[in-house]
Amino acid sequence: MECKDISADILYDVLHDVEYRKKWDSNVIETFDIGKLTVNADIGYYAWKCPKPLKNRDVITLRSWLPMGNDYIIMNYSVKHAKYPPKKDLVRAVSIMTGYVIQSGGAKACTLTYLAQVDPRGSLPKWVVNKSSQFLAPKAMKKMYKACLKYPDWKKKHNPQHKPWLHPEQNNLPTISLSEVSVQHADSLENIDESGVSENKDDRGEASDDDSVN
């Protein structure tokens, strides 16, 4: 996605800011940071709404990030943590490799490349696959773009100096040892069959682009 009127550092902040994501990401059910591994790696939880009547999904991921001059990279993959086992009302999905590359295009322009290699765990109907690639993913990128435009004003009113992804000394998360987590392999999780479900017009994954951010 080519982002006009948005600098690479603003987009980087938006992708990191968990509190702001709760404002603009209408698909999020719950998201929070669990703990830190290093100054540029942490463990986090994210649960999201799926199109009805599919079950909603969640993941536990190990995320790392790296500024590269004026460019940035954020990547994650799924891990297991004993304190956060799969929930009965959600399907535990697997992020095989998911992330963003942000390339600066000057003071007020950048390019975002988004990679999502995810196993949703289960046999999904063809309409879900088509809708995700043709409609939901592009719409999510559009919402992210609009959120970036509003972020500077929002951040001025919400703890403007707090950016632990840039200032590690601000990170108050508990330190997690790498021995506390392990790679989440898909074959160790329940595989549900949702291939026969029909599309519901009241789609939870289709919130308005005009959601307010205050």
Side-chain angles (χ1 to χ4, degrees), residues 20-26 143 146-147 150 154 208-214:
Y20 189 58
R21 178 172 284 274
K22 295 173 184 177
K23 298 292 184 181
W24 67 266
D25 186 352
S26 56
K143 282 184 69 71
K146 290 189 174 184
K150 298 177 180 180
W154 181 89
S208 169
D209 278 337
D210 299 321
D211 293 344
S212 62
V213 177
N214 298 311

Side-chain angles (χ1 to χ4, degrees), residues 4-197:
K4 297 180 180 179
D5 301 319
I6 296 172
S7 63
D9 59 323
I10 290 294
L11 180 50
Y12 185 63
D13 287 350
V14 167
L15 291 173
H16 269 290
D17 199 320
V18 173
E19 294 306 313
Y20 189 58
R21 178 172 284 274
K22 295 173 184 177
K23 298 292 184 181
W24 67 266
D25 186 352
S26 56
N27 288 329
V28 67
I29 298 172
E30 184 180 16
T31 183
F32 55 85
D33 296 325
I34 296 171
K36 60 184 176 183
L37 291 168
T38 67
V39 294
N40 68 324
D42 61 18
I43 306 295
Y45 176 84
Y46 181 77
W48 71 95
K49 302 171 187 175
C50 290
K52 285 183 178 179
L54 299 180
K55 289 186 176 181
N56 296 327
R57 261 68 175 174
D58 70 352
V59 288
I60 303 289
T61 61
L62 189 162
R63 178 184 62 166
S64 59
W65 56 93
L66 184 67
M68 302 176 294
N70 294 322
D71 302 333
Y72 304 90
I73 185 169
I74 305 172
M75 298 297 293
N76 76 60
Y77 61 87
S78 279
V79 294
K80 291 189 288 186
H81 192 292
K83 293 182 179 180
Y84 300 91
K87 299 181 179 181
K88 291 183 179 180
D89 58 334
L90 296 169
V91 176
R92 179 59 51 88
V94 177
S95 169
I96 300 168
M97 184 65 71
T98 303
Y100 307 89
V101 174
I102 307 167
Q103 296 170 290
S104 176
K108 289 189 176 182
C110 64
T111 300
L112 173 66
T113 302
Y114 175 49
L115 164 73
Q117 188 180 10
V118 177
D119 185 341
R121 298 311 296 148
S123 301
L124 299 178
K126 190 173 294 184
W127 66 263
V128 170
V129 178
N130 292 338
K131 193 166 193 172
S132 296
S133 60
Q134 297 173 15
F135 180 79
L136 296 180
K139 189 167 186 176
M141 298 283 273
K142 184 178 179 182
K143 282 184 69 71
M144 188 186 301
Y145 174 78
K146 290 189 174 184
C148 288
L149 293 174
K150 298 177 180 180
Y151 183 70
D153 287 339
W154 181 89
K155 189 60 176 173
K156 288 177 183 177
K157 304 172 186 175
H158 299 84
N159 210 351
Q161 304 305 319
H162 185 71
K163 295 183 179 182
W165 53 92
L166 297 178
H167 309 292
E169 68 277 5
Q170 296 178 350
N171 193 331
N172 295 319
L173 291 172
T175 299
I176 294 179
S177 169
L178 196 57
S179 62
E180 295 180 51
V181 298
S182 58
V183 176
Q184 177 68 75
H185 295 290
D187 55 10
S188 68
L189 293 168
E190 179 185 7
N191 191 51
I192 65 171
D193 186 358
E194 296 178 289
S195 58
V197 302

